[in-house]
Amino acid sequence: LEPQAALEQALRMIAEGAALIDIGGESTRPGAQPAAAAEQLRRILPVIERLRARSEVVISVDTSEPQVIRAARAAGAGMINDVRALRARGALEAAAASGCAVCLMHMQGDPGTMQDAPHYTEVVSEVREFLRERLAACARAGIDAGRLAIDPGFGFGKTLEHNLSLLRRLREFATLGTPLMVGLSRKSMAGTLTQRPPGERTGGSVALALIAVLNGARIIRAHDVAPTVDALRV
Ligand code: 9MG
């Protein structure tokens, strides 16, 4: 919410080895309510502009809104990270026209209620089938396959058991032929496994990132960049 603080945090993360910086104007935590496109833009544009002026890092924008995709692109973003996988009206077309890279994430429900009672008959095949269908929708919209990444959406409408099944069987997503991104950092999965609050989950998060990479993940979304980069380098 404070552009200068966000810029400083981004520069710290780049110095610690981050290759992408993901900037979002809408919380997608469990229980969060949506933010209007105008409010998202009011929050993110000053940060994107300041960061673009200071670094050549790839700027990813965390949004589902076509209006935000277009404005973020004009301000210098190179990637769209969409937890709704471009299902919002006009989002596919805006992403295709932007020329940006896109991460398509799986989420069951919406952030407001997604953790109330997540349910799947078979979580891995259902998430995989959803992502396969969204990749096909991107192909139909003219988005080059080389611009896409997929993400099973850990914690987005999933219980601990669902998350563990996805992590164990992450290799099954590699057969879709698209680089795999994961976000496990500081999430409740790390908290439940270690019995620690969010600020004390670095060790658990790094362990989860390592397991994900050993199981085929190519892009790791992390808060604690330095220890994550060190662990992955080793
Ligand atoms: C915005 N956001 C929060 N968690 C995320 C995750 O796990 N993946 C992606 N792609 N975005 C996320």
Side-chain angles (χ1 to χ4, degrees):
L1 293 177
E2 171 44 55
Q4 189 58 28
L7 172 69
E8 284 163 18
Q9 173 71 354
L11 294 175
R12 241 186 329 268
M13 294 170 110
I14 294 164
E16 291 177 0
L20 295 161
I21 296 291
D22 194 31
I23 298 173
E26 173 184 68
S27 173
T28 52
R29 284 184 188 166
Q33 295 306 308
E39 177 59 17
Q40 292 185 36
L41 286 172
R42 192 187 67 74
R43 294 173 180 173
I44 66 171
L45 283 180
V47 185
I48 298 173
E49 286 161 3
R50 281 173 167 81
L51 182 56
R52 189 68 305 149
R54 293 285 301 275
S55 166
E56 290 182 359
V57 74
V58 177
I59 298 177
S60 161
V61 168
D62 175 12
T63 191
S64 305
E65 292 288 337
Q67 187 187 337
V68 179
I69 293 173
R70 284 189 287 271
R73 176 55 168 165
M79 182 165 180
I80 306 303
N81 173 36
D82 188 3
V83 300
R84 297 178 183 83
L86 302 181
R87 283 178 293 161
R89 183 189 295 267
L92 258 179
E93 294 75 11
S98 74
C100 285
V102 178
C103 178
L104 302 165
M105 200 199 78
H106 175 273
M107 169 167 62
Q108 186 180 80
D110 278 308
T113 53
M114 65 189 178
Q115 290 306 109
D116 288 354
H119 177 77
Y120 302 83
T121 305
E122 209 292 295
V123 65
V124 177
S125 53
E126 287 174 44
V127 172
R128 190 177 174 284
E129 179 53 24
F130 169 86
L131 293 172
R132 197 197 57 70
E133 188 279 320
R134 295 315 296 155
L135 287 170
C138 287
R140 287 194 297 276
I143 303 178
D144 191 274
R147 283 166 44 200
L148 295 170
I150 51 172
D151 184 333
F154 286 98
F156 283 81
K158 285 142 191 125
T159 63
L160 177 62
E161 281 310 315
H162 295 141
N163 289 323
L164 289 171
S165 295
L166 289 164
L167 186 62
R168 283 191 196 101
R169 294 172 55 192
L170 213 50
R171 285 260 165 225
E172 295 179 34
F173 291 88
T175 58
L176 292 171
T178 306
L180 192 56
M181 169 144 119
V182 298
L184 293 150
S185 178
R186 297 188 188 173
K187 287 194 177 164
S188 66
M189 184 178 178
T192 307
L193 294 172
T194 60
Q195 292 295 297
R196 292 191 184 277
E200 297 173 16
R201 293 179 188 167
T202 303
S205 302
V206 169
L208 290 169
L210 274 175
I211 295 168
V213 167
L214 291 171
N215 287 351
R218 296 269 305 279
I219 307 170
I220 299 294
R221 204 172 178 280
H223 298 88
D224 304 297
V225 176
T228 308
V229 168
D230 278 357
L232 295 179
R233 281 188 179 142
V234 169

